[in-house]
Amino acid sequence: MHMFFQELKQGSQTLGLELSEETLNLLLKYQDALVLWNKAYNLTAIRDPKEMLVKHLLDSLSILKDLPEGRLLDIGTGGGMPGMIIALCQPERSCVLLDSNGKKIRFLTQFIADLKLKNVVAVQTRVEDEDSIQDLGKFDVITSRAFASLTDFVTASKPYMHEKSIIASMKGLIPQDEIIALKDEYSCEVIELKVPRLDEQRHLLLLKQI
């Protein structure tokens, strides 16, 4: 059994998730691969696997229960948070992980190949690239943990949206001013998240076009 198996199981249960043993082991395989590649490629500033478990795995898992269904695009996925974690937990969901950083996409592509994952692809491109917008099409859910500005994230998401698409933005503090600035175009549901063993505010913002 993996040294973090029980911690991940308890943490996911605290989040109200009932993940199978197989899924928990997949998530830990992903974390092990991230730790290994991180030594050579600097994929994430977090080096300590125990800290990764909380700040990457459990943090990403905290949005699962509130995430709308459908085809998902993770913009600025980095090392795969939250997109890869969503894909591993929800094999029925089609996921595209997008980032402009070649090293990060190489890591994700290799991991997808090694585990023969069928529901997820990693794409190296800039979010505003016209060819990518055309090739990738429209998504039901667009998520990100990377954008500092909610306004910038909404602007980046627009070309990938159909009229019923939902933007799912992971935030620490609630960006009230930005929500107000978008209120004529988007309704915003704010969901408070409690990440086990993380003493920081976390929120999920669900934005729908009015």
Side-chain angles (χ1 to χ4, degrees), residues 186-204:
Y186 294 88
S187 66
C188 180
E189 181 187 356
V190 179
I191 298 163
E192 187 178 356
L193 306 170
K194 287 263 187 276
V195 181
R197 307 215 317 276
L198 187 66
D199 191 24
E200 296 171 23
Q201 284 196 44
R202 287 287 187 270
H203 294 89
L204 177 65

Side-chain angles (χ1 to χ4, degrees), residues 73 75-76 127-128 133 138-139 141-162 165-171 175 177-189 205-210:
L73 174 67
I75 294 178
V127 67
E128 66 273 16
I133 290 166
K138 307 293 184 188
F139 293 83
V141 187
I142 301 172
T143 187
S144 183
R145 209 172 73 142
F147 273 83
S149 153
L150 183 63
T151 319
D152 288 350
F153 179 33
V154 169
T155 302
S157 300
K158 269 184 185 174
Y160 298 94
M161 295 174 74
H162 54 70
S165 299
I166 295 173
I167 292 173
S169 176
M170 296 179 72
K171 287 284 173 192
D177 292 348
E178 293 186 82
I179 292 170
I180 290 164
L182 292 163
K183 70 177 176 19
D184 292 339
E185 279 186 87
Y186 294 88
S187 66
C188 180
E189 181 187 356
L205 276 49
L206 298 178
L207 289 93
K208 297 178 191 173
Q209 294 176 86
I210 295 170

Side-chain angles (χ1 to χ4, degrees), residues 22-90:
E22 183 188 6
T23 301
L24 293 167
N25 282 319
L26 277 177
L27 290 167
L28 290 165
K29 266 186 188 167
Y30 164 69
Q31 177 167 306
D32 288 346
L34 190 60
V35 169
L36 187 66
W37 277 64
N38 207 33
K39 288 172 182 164
Y41 291 103
N42 196 24
L43 303 175
T44 165
I46 297 172
R47 300 261 168 219
D48 177 28
K50 211 172 172 104
E51 199 181 347
M52 265 189 199
L53 187 79
V54 175
K55 291 191 173 174
H56 287 337
L57 262 61
L58 292 176
D59 189 47
S60 295
L61 287 171
S62 70
I63 70 169
L64 266 192
K65 273 176 56 180
D66 298 296
L67 204 59
E69 291 180 357
R71 184 171 184 244
L72 179 136
L73 174 67
D74 185 26
I75 294 178
T77 193
M81 285 77 68
M84 179 59 80
I85 289 160
I86 294 164
L88 292 173
C89 293
Q90 300 180 335

